């Protein structure tokens, strides 16, 4: 597994926008899929969305499908989570994750090979 470093989490008001970034230090980086999960206090880590590294195919949880967008910059070894129209229910620690091969069931945490440290997103009412 390669280390992942996240950034961008902060306090934002309801209706605001925020972009999270996740990158890995230099070298060759070619995962099959990158994803974002989030975890609210007292809740289990939940799938937010994912993107395939080569084709850029995205998949989102219904709770964020309209408001969030995942993109990646292969040359920068970076994946982004653009969050719009944020709601208090979006509050939580956001984690990026990497998957080395297409192992399926990627809405669950178990198949993922690498995780970032998490970045706190707080949406105030």
């Amino acid at each position: 597994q390669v280390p992942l470093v996240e950034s961008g989490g902060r306090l934002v008001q309801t209706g605001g926008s925020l972009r999270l970034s996740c990158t890995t230090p230099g070298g060759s980086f070619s995962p099959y899929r990158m994803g974002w999960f989030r975890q609210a206090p007292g809740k289990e880590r939940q799938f937010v969305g994912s993107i395939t590294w080569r084709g850029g195919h995205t998949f989102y949880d219904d709770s964020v499908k309209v408001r969030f967008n995942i993109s990646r910059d292969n040359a920068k070894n970076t994946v982004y989570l653009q969050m719009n129209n944020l709601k208090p229910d979006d509050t939580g620690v956001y984690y990026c994750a990497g998957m080395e091969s297409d192992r399926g069931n990627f809405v669950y945490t178990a198949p993922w090979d690498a995780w970032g440290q998490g970045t706190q997103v707080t949406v105030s009412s």
Side-chain angles (χ1 to χ4, degrees):
Q1 305 97 311
V2 297
L4 301 174
V5 181
E6 302 169 347
S7 63
R10 63 198 68 204
L11 174 67
V12 63
Q13 296 185 48
T14 296
S17 297
L18 197 62
R19 189 179 76 164
L20 307 182
S21 300
C22 175
T23 188
T24 187
S28 180
F29 183 65
S30 185
Y32 182 84
R33 176 180 288 110
M34 296 292 294
W36 289 94
F37 289 74
R38 65 185 180 184
Q39 186 169 19
K43 305 283 287 186
E44 294 186 354
R45 193 170 301 185
Q46 298 289 331
F47 175 78
V48 174
S50 66
I51 186 168
T52 60
W53 199 244
R54 297 187 186 276
H57 303 296
T58 56
F59 185 83
Y60 302 93
D61 183 80
D62 286 343
S63 65
V64 304
K65 185 176 181 179
V66 177
R67 300 179 296 118
F68 289 13
N69 185 68
I70 295 175
S71 61
R72 87 280 194 235
D73 188 331
N74 300 56
K76 295 182 178 180
N77 297 336
T78 302
V79 62
Y80 304 96
L81 179 64
Q82 177 66 48
M83 304 183 292
N84 302 311
N85 304 123
L86 284 163
K87 306 174 181 179
D89 285 348
D90 295 318
T91 294
V93 179
Y94 283 68
Y95 301 88
C96 72
M99 184 178 292
E100 295 180 352
S101 61
D102 186 14
R103 303 193 293 180
N105 297 321
F106 55 82
V107 300
Y108 301 106
T109 59
W112 296 86
D113 301 297
W115 294 89
Q117 79 286 352
T119 184
Q120 176 71 45
V121 174
T122 303
V123 184
S124 64
S125 60

